[in-house]
């Protein structure tokens, strides 16, 4: 069952997903922003964030792409918004992570702006997988051991929920 939902933000379609952690907000923030912690579930980065951009290396993709990401907003420990640099606007990924405390839990609301080049039937299952890996890595303090198998089956659910066709 999918957890993502469609949402309009500033006139653009977004995929939005929430995850809840039995962890302090600072711990979840570190898992989103510190290269070593981020590398436990998604990617690593190099460079100086104070320059406003870093080089990101995807850690769990077959071709391990490296991309420059611009830090559009960073308000620790509550809000991080980044986008990759790309000559083709259809290949730009705009990612937004917002954290809030609810009692002794931390809630992450994660959003990606959707473009025609990134169908939600691909993007949705991908973020389900990576965000579940994030939850697992925060819970265990280790590199997540969750596997991709099964997430691709969410493609048709995402297509239906967002009013499109699943990729064949």
């Amino acid at each position: 069952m999918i957890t993502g939902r469609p949402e309009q933000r500033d006139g653009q379609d977004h995929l939005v997903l929430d995850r809840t952690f039995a962890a302090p907000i600072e711990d979840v923030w570190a898992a989103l922003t510190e290269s070593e912690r981020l590398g436990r579930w998604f990617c690593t980065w190099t460079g100086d964030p104070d320059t406003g951009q870093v080089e990101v290396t995807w850690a769990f993709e077959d071709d391990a792409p490296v991309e420059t990401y611009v830090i559009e907003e960073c308000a620790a420990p509550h809000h991080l918004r980044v986008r990759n640099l790309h000559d083709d606007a259809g290949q730009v990924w705009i990612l937004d992570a917002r954290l809030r405390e609810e009692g002794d839990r931390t809630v992450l609301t994660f959003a990606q702006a959707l473009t025609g080049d990134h169908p939600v039937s691909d993007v949705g299952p991908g973020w389900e997988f990576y965000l579940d890996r994030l939850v697992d890595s925060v819970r265990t303090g280790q590199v997540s051991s969750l596997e991709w198998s099964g997430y691709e089956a969410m493609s048709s659910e995402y297509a239906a929920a967002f009013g499109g066709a699943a990729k064949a």
Side-chain angles (χ1 to χ4, degrees):
M1 175 177 212
I2 67 170
T3 65
R5 65 186 182 277
E7 189 174 298
Q8 280 278 314
R9 292 184 176 186
D10 299 322
Q12 187 169 24
D13 292 330
H14 282 72
L15 163 65
V16 179
L17 303 103
D18 296 309
R19 292 295 186 273
T20 302
F21 302 81
I25 195 169
E26 293 82 5
D27 189 36
V28 180
W29 180 258
L32 290 171
T33 60
E34 294 176 8
S35 183
E36 186 275 327
R37 296 280 308 274
L38 191 61
R40 295 178 189 176
W41 64 275
F42 180 54
C43 67
T44 58
W45 59 264
T46 58
D48 182 358
D50 290 337
T51 67
Q53 61 186 44
V54 294
E55 295 297 312
V56 169
T57 303
W58 293 56
F60 301 96
E61 299 293 323
D62 290 336
D63 55 355
V66 177
E67 299 178 289
T68 300
Y69 269 76
V70 174
I71 302 164
E72 293 186 343
E73 188 168 338
C74 182
H78 297 284
H79 186 211
L80 178 66
R81 181 179 170 92
V82 299
R83 67 175 166 80
N84 65 321
L85 289 181
H86 202 287
D87 292 337
D88 178 355
Q91 295 295 319
V92 173
W93 289 60
I94 301 169
L95 310 175
D96 189 90
R98 296 173 189 263
L99 296 174
R100 68 183 184 279
E101 295 173 299
E102 289 187 359
D104 61 350
R105 302 208 177 273
T106 299
V107 177
L108 165 67
T109 299
F110 176 89
Q112 178 177 346
L114 297 173
T115 68
D117 289 356
H118 300 292
V120 75
S121 58
D122 289 343
V123 174
W127 284 120
E128 295 275 4
F129 170 66
Y130 279 119
L131 295 178
D132 286 351
R133 289 178 59 83
L134 169 59
V135 170
D136 184 54
S137 74
V138 168
R139 182 182 54 78
T140 66
Q142 304 294 317
V143 173
S144 176
S145 61
L146 292 180
E147 298 289 331
W148 171 248
S149 178
Y151 285 89
E152 66 274 6
M154 295 178 176
S155 182
S156 59
E157 270 188 88
Y158 265 101
F162 283 72
K167 260 181 91 173

